[in-house]
Amino acid sequence: MSEATTEAGEATTEAGEATAEQGAPRRGERADAARNRRAILRATEELLAECGAEHVSLDRVAAAAGVGKGTVFRRFGSRTGLFQALLADRAARLREAIDEEAAPLGTDGAPCERLLAFLDALADIAEHHLSLIAAHERACGEDKFDDPTYRGWHAHVSALVRELRPGLDAEFVAHMLLAAFDGELVRRLTADGDWTRFRQSVRDLADLLVGQGK
């Protein structure tokens, strides 16, 4: 096994471990606790869509979910914790796919194929959960780059870039690619609803940065 492949595997593990934080599903979780967690996340998402991030509070989420505020606080800690957990939950299928073998996202795919497929998948998340992404970024502020979901995405992209272009600063390039998914930037670029253009532009950026390694 090559060093690059080993690093990619370690990065995938880090991507999974990075999201095992507060608010994540717990092994052996009681049925009522799991039900409450789903209700809380669903209520958070609905309030985001209906009222905007500025009107999402622990009190309102608890009322909408039909649970006590203490339940929300103990499980998620804060509004930021709610947004972090909701984004991680909505990105869970992507996390699973990069751990599996099936191409194009999984380990059987070529590095370039996996990178482009991953960026396409992030575009899908952005299209369907843009309000969440923007709210999550505002809530996290300067701590955005330490967010478990972001760390996992960054580790995965860094490993793929390192395989494609060993001479590049993979961590820097990964940050540049993920910057294309800044919530407010995406909102501005897709104001006309042209998500096809956005996806192709992100692909073009990846090609510009690492395409010589294909």
Side-chain angles (χ1 to χ4, degrees):
M1 182 180 294
S2 69
E3 181 177 349
T5 301
T6 300
E7 288 179 353
E10 291 173 348
T12 299
T13 300
E14 181 178 346
E17 291 176 347
T19 54
E21 302 281 343
Q22 186 174 29
R26 296 166 183 168
R27 187 172 299 175
E29 187 174 44
R30 296 195 322 269
D32 59 335
R35 185 170 57 251
N36 285 343
R37 179 181 181 279
R38 291 193 298 270
I40 290 167
L41 293 182
R42 184 168 57 251
T44 302
E45 189 167 42
E46 290 173 353
L47 285 170
L48 266 175
E50 295 170 5
C51 309
E54 62 274 17
H55 298 293
V56 176
S57 66
L58 297 188
D59 287 313
R60 293 193 70 176
V61 168
V67 301
K69 180 181 176 180
T71 299
V72 179
F73 181 78
R74 285 191 299 273
R75 188 64 189 262
F76 300 95
S78 65
R79 223 169 58 107
T80 299
L82 270 174
F83 293 149
Q84 288 178 320
L86 181 56
L87 181 59
D89 188 80
R90 298 302 178 255
R93 181 67 195 101
L94 175 57
R95 186 168 68 249
E96 293 167 2
I98 65 176
D99 286 338
E100 296 170 353
E101 295 181 354
L105 282 165
T107 55
D108 283 347
C112 184
E113 179 185 30
R114 296 186 74 196
L115 177 61
L116 293 178
F118 185 77
L119 295 175
D120 285 344
L122 290 187
D124 288 340
I125 291 174
E127 181 176 3
H128 294 100
H129 304 289
L130 185 54
S131 294
L132 168 60
I133 290 174
H136 169 269
E137 289 170 349
R138 287 195 296 270
C140 289
E142 294 180 358
D143 293 332
K144 166 189 170 181
F145 302 108
D146 290 323
D147 172 73
T149 298
Y150 184 90
R151 289 204 322 265
W153 290 350
H154 182 263
H156 183 61
V157 174
S158 295
L160 294 175
V161 170
R162 197 170 291 115
E163 285 190 79
L164 287 165
R165 295 288 302 278
L168 290 182
D169 184 335
E171 293 189 2
F172 175 81
V173 172
H175 280 306
M176 292 303 96
L177 288 172
L178 292 175
F181 297 95
D182 174 82
E184 295 306 324
L185 175 63
V186 175
R187 192 189 302 279
R188 184 180 184 89
L189 292 175
T190 60
D192 60 356
D194 191 351
W195 284 92
T196 299
R197 170 177 172 255
F198 176 75
R199 285 183 175 82
Q200 186 57 53
S201 296
V202 173
R203 280 175 157 256
D204 290 343
L205 177 62
D207 184 61
L208 179 66
L209 292 175
V210 300
Q212 294 178 29
K214 291 192 286 187

